[in-house]
Amino acid sequence: MTGHIVTTPFGRRTMTLGQIASQMKARAAPKDAAVNKWQTFQHIREARDLLGATDRALAILNALLSFHQETVLTGDGDLIVWPSNDQLMARANGMPPTTLRRHLVVLVECGLIIRRDSPNGKRYARKGRGGKIERAFGFDLSPIVARAAEFKDMADAAQAEKRAFRRARERLTLLRRDIVKLIDTCTEEGVPGNWDRVQQNYQATISRLPRSAPRQLVESICEELEVLWREILDVLESFADSWNTDANESHFGRHIQNSNPDSNSESESGTGEREEAGCSAEGTHNLRSQPKRDLPLEIVLSACPNMRELAQSGELGHWRDFLAAAELVRSMLGISPSAWREACEVLGERQAAITLAAIYQRADQINSAGGYLRSLTDRARDGKFSTRPMVMALLRAKPDAEKTLSKTYGRPPDDGVRNEGNASDSLRRPKS
């Protein structure tokens, strides 16, 4: 075909920069380019959201492609088709005329076709001698050839986004199921913790999720839920693991039994220097072989509820609040800054605070808190002391511990103090 290439639409239709850009891309297509029109149409259909095309617009494009006889479209071929509206509506499953015109505009705006309007706006072709088409007016399919590689990349990106969204939805479903069932388990098994507050936090997070949420929001919600899931799981695993430890869990009771009842001052040669009678080589080996797992804050506060009374912000909801309360306990118990500093260096600040909370919980049974802290620090330096047995001994000494354990395991646990009475008795100072 020869002659002037029409660039502007007929009638009151306006020209846009997007249409000019589409025509520029079509002219820039290599002459030797060749694409399978149905394969490219499949890519367009997969990338329709990125292109901004509608389902009905794609139905019209499918009909337009069917009017071109060749399956392979080339850059140097005649790519203009000129079906009437009646023909298009018939191949588009009886689409109404107003809907047809509206979605033809969508195809043009998406850069999938180019209008080649005649002087009177009709679609037709003029043939020359020998029946060869010299000039045609209608819809130009050259963008299908010119942008075939772009459509493929967009289709790959759309598929990748779809897979990522599916993974995010799967992750969200699993997290929601796990959190709900873990909270139920903690409540039914009597695991220490404010599970009503945890449930409220979960509901508040889920309430921000609309019915049709984008992938980015789903992934953001998943990140928050995973943090909550990890906190619940840590508490539950620590609680389950605490009842399977060996006789070392009764060490804290023996520590207090061996403290010097006559000591009234903190000194290097006070109660901290004495060796516990019940510490054997086998017990030390078992203590060192226990997994190094941090105790959750809820477990510590359940074992040492007296610490809650010292919360400066009204609630010990974070470890930083717990550490601030421990500093207040240090001054209340009369422990020197040097003893506290040494405990923090050996045990670590958090473990030292847990040790101090346990001492404060049984302050009425310990005559020299400072000397006792130094003794525990020395034992920790030799690898013979851990805060987990201490906390678990306090936790078992609670009045409802036996009921909770029987409900959970169907029998009293092996707490390693069979010959010394229950855990509560082992934590009392022996009478002189």
Side-chain angles (χ1 to χ4, degrees):
M1 292 184 291
T2 60
H4 177 69
I5 299 179
V6 180
T7 58
T8 57
F10 171 79
R12 291 178 295 178
R13 300 189 189 100
T14 58
M15 192 70 180
T16 64
L17 291 177
Q19 295 174 14
I20 295 176
S22 297
Q23 295 182 14
M24 292 173 58
K25 289 182 180 179
R27 288 197 299 268
K31 298 301 180 182
D32 59 347
V35 299
N36 185 302
K37 63 181 182 182
W38 299 121
Q39 186 177 24
T40 303
F41 176 74
Q42 176 65 24
H43 295 158
I44 293 172
R45 186 167 60 183
E46 293 175 356
R48 63 180 180 273
D49 292 335
L50 297 177
L51 290 168
T54 61
D55 293 339
R56 294 202 171 187
L58 293 184
I60 298 172
L61 179 61
N62 181 75
L64 289 173
L65 290 172
S66 69
F67 283 104
H68 197 283
Q69 296 180 354
E70 302 295 332
T71 301
V72 177
L73 306 181
T74 59
D76 59 350
D78 298 334
L79 300 179
I80 297 178
V81 293
W82 55 92
S84 65
N85 282 353
D86 290 339
Q87 291 173 319
L88 271 178
M89 286 187 295
R91 294 202 184 184
N93 303 319
M95 187 178 295
T98 54
T99 305
L100 176 69
R101 288 191 291 270
R102 186 169 66 253
H103 290 284
L104 280 172
V105 173
V106 173
L107 290 176
V108 173
E109 291 177 348
C110 292
L112 297 175
I113 61 174
I114 298 174
R115 285 185 181 273
R116 303 296 186 187
D117 289 345
S118 65
N120 61 1
K122 301 295 183 179
R123 303 178 202 130
Y124 60 88
R126 184 184 299 115
K127 295 182 180 181
R129 294 181 179 180
K132 183 178 180 181
I133 297 177
E134 292 183 346
R135 191 68 182 274
F137 299 97
F139 300 107
D140 190 352
L141 303 176
S142 56
I144 302 297
V145 178
R147 302 178 62 188
E150 179 185 353
F151 294 147
K152 185 179 185 306
D153 293 340
M154 295 176 72
D156 292 341
Q159 289 297 322
E161 174 66 19
K162 188 177 298 184
R163 289 192 297 270
F165 184 73
R166 184 167 58 250
R167 289 194 296 268
R169 295 292 300 183
E170 290 174 353
R171 181 186 177 195
L172 176 65
T173 301
L174 292 175
L175 284 171
R176 294 183 64 174
R177 184 181 70 191
D178 286 356
I179 289 175
V180 169
K181 292 193 174 183
L182 288 178
I183 291 176
D184 290 343
T185 301
C186 292
T187 303
E188 294 174 0
E189 302 296 345
V191 179
N194 190 351
W195 301 116
D196 290 337
R197 178 178 58 82
V198 175
Q199 181 72 27
Q200 292 173 2
N201 292 342
Y202 166 73
Q203 294 295 342
T205 303
I206 292 300
S207 64
R208 302 195 342 255
L209 193 65
R211 181 178 297 273
S212 299
R215 176 182 59 84
Q216 292 78 6
L217 179 58
V218 173
E219 291 181 345
S220 176
I221 296 295
C222 285
E223 294 298 330
E224 297 182 29
L225 291 180
E226 186 162 357
V227 173
L228 183 62
W229 169 79
R230 173 52 59 186
E231 292 177 354
I232 299 172
L233 190 62
D234 286 345
V235 173
L236 189 58
E237 288 180 346
S238 296
F239 184 77
D241 183 64
S242 66
W243 310 121
N244 295 323
T245 54
D246 56 18
N248 292 287
E249 294 187 0
S250 62
H251 282 179
F252 182 50
R254 288 195 286 269
H255 289 172
I256 297 177
Q257 286 179 342
N258 291 324
S259 61
N260 188 351
D262 299 326
S263 176
N264 295 318
S265 62
E266 176 185 345
S267 65
E268 297 295 337
S269 59
T271 59
E273 292 292 335
R274 298 196 175 187
E275 293 290 336
E276 286 80 4
C279 181
S280 63
E282 181 181 359
T284 300
H285 173 72
N286 292 334
L287 183 60
R288 290 178 175 177
S289 63
Q290 290 180 9
K292 302 298 183 181
R293 296 176 55 189
D294 291 337
L295 287 165
L297 181 58
E298 290 291 346
I299 292 288
V300 175
L301 292 178
S302 180
C304 309
N306 291 349
M307 292 292 290
R308 297 182 186 272
E309 304 172 359
L310 305 178
Q312 298 179 0
S313 58
E315 182 180 357
L316 297 178
H318 195 273
W319 280 109
R320 61 175 175 270
D321 302 326
F322 185 81
L323 295 177
E327 184 62 32
L328 182 60
V329 167
R330 182 198 65 79
S331 60
M332 292 173 59
L333 295 178
I335 297 176
S336 67
S338 61
W340 174 242
R341 184 168 54 252
E342 183 180 3
C344 291
E345 291 176 355
V346 175
L347 291 166
E349 188 176 17
R350 181 178 298 185
Q351 299 301 318
I354 294 175
T355 304
L356 202 59
I359 295 175
Y360 179 63
Q361 185 67 28
R362 296 296 185 183
D364 58 334
Q365 302 175 20
I366 301 175
N367 290 329
S368 176
Y372 186 53
L373 179 62
R374 288 188 184 276
S375 173
L376 297 181
T377 301
D378 292 338
R379 295 189 60 79
R381 186 181 290 109
D382 297 334
K384 299 178 181 179
F385 170 71
S386 168
T387 56
R388 175 179 290 272
M390 174 186 291
V391 172
M392 292 310 161
L394 286 172
L395 191 61
R396 295 188 183 198
K398 296 179 65 176
D400 58 344
E402 187 73 21
K403 178 180 179 181
T404 300
L405 296 176
S406 299
K407 178 182 178 181
T408 304
Y409 298 98
R411 58 177 177 79
D414 181 10
D415 58 5
V417 289
R418 302 184 188 89
N419 299 324
E420 299 178 8
N422 59 33
S424 178
D425 293 338
S426 67
L427 291 173
R428 298 191 181 97
R429 188 179 63 198
K431 297 181 180 180
S432 56

